[in-house]
Amino acid sequence: MGEDQLMSTTPDDPSNFPPDVPAGRAPGTEPVPADPTHPDTTPAGTEHPDVARRKGIKHTRVGATWTGLVIGIVVLVLLLVFILQNLDSVTLELFAWEFTLPLGVTLLFAAIAGAVIMALAGGVRIIQIRRAANRQRRLNSNF
């Protein structure tokens, strides 16, 4: 077999391309130059530097609020289903009082009471931290 009869079957073989096409690139696949009227456009296959650094769309308060509302609605629907499935009456005794309520409503009240106690404890801690920060700020401003 002579040199003329040996042909490569791989498309990236430099001998398959004319001399003006770089090796590793098929004819007609040159990179597209960026549009000078739109500096944000980049050649196909490359990412904008902000996207490459994951600085694309940022989290916003509106997005967080929307997410919170959706989660809140899902929780409310689950609570409603829970209450409707637990309608058996139970008798509660608190000190001298006696109540008869559905089980689901009773557990909902217990969860609300726990959340209020947690919120009060967190609020007291926030007040402590604010007072300490204000005291530190006053001490630092005296120097």
Side-chain angles (χ1 to χ4, degrees):
M1 284 191 169
E3 280 186 41
D4 297 340
Q5 294 176 347
L6 293 176
M7 295 194 66
S8 173
T9 57
T10 60
D12 292 336
D13 185 12
S15 64
N16 290 340
F17 301 128
D20 61 334
V21 177
R25 183 173 297 154
T29 60
E30 292 81 23
V32 179
D35 187 2
T37 59
H38 295 91
D40 290 344
T41 59
T42 57
T46 61
E47 292 181 328
H48 190 276
D50 286 345
V51 174
R53 286 179 286 199
R54 300 199 183 273
K55 290 186 177 182
I57 299 173
K58 297 183 179 185
H59 297 284
T60 62
R61 290 181 185 171
V62 175
T65 302
W66 183 83
T67 302
L69 286 173
V70 170
I71 291 171
I73 290 170
V74 169
V75 168
L76 284 176
V77 168
L78 291 174
L79 279 173
L80 180 63
V81 169
F82 175 78
I83 290 170
L84 291 175
Q85 288 182 342
N86 291 288
L87 291 176
D88 299 335
S89 291
V90 294
T91 302
L92 300 174
E93 296 177 15
L94 180 65
F95 301 119
W97 298 302
E98 191 171 299
F99 304 100
T100 303
L101 293 171
L103 177 62
V105 174
T106 304
L107 291 174
L108 179 63
F109 284 157
I112 290 172
V116 168
I117 291 169
M118 180 195 64
L120 288 174
V124 169
R125 182 64 181 147
I126 289 171
I127 290 171
Q128 284 179 334
I129 291 172
R130 283 188 182 168
R131 285 184 179 169
N134 288 336
R135 188 176 20 234
Q136 189 68 35
R137 197 174 303 121
R138 282 193 304 271
L139 289 174
N140 288 340
S141 66
N142 290 337
F143 290 110

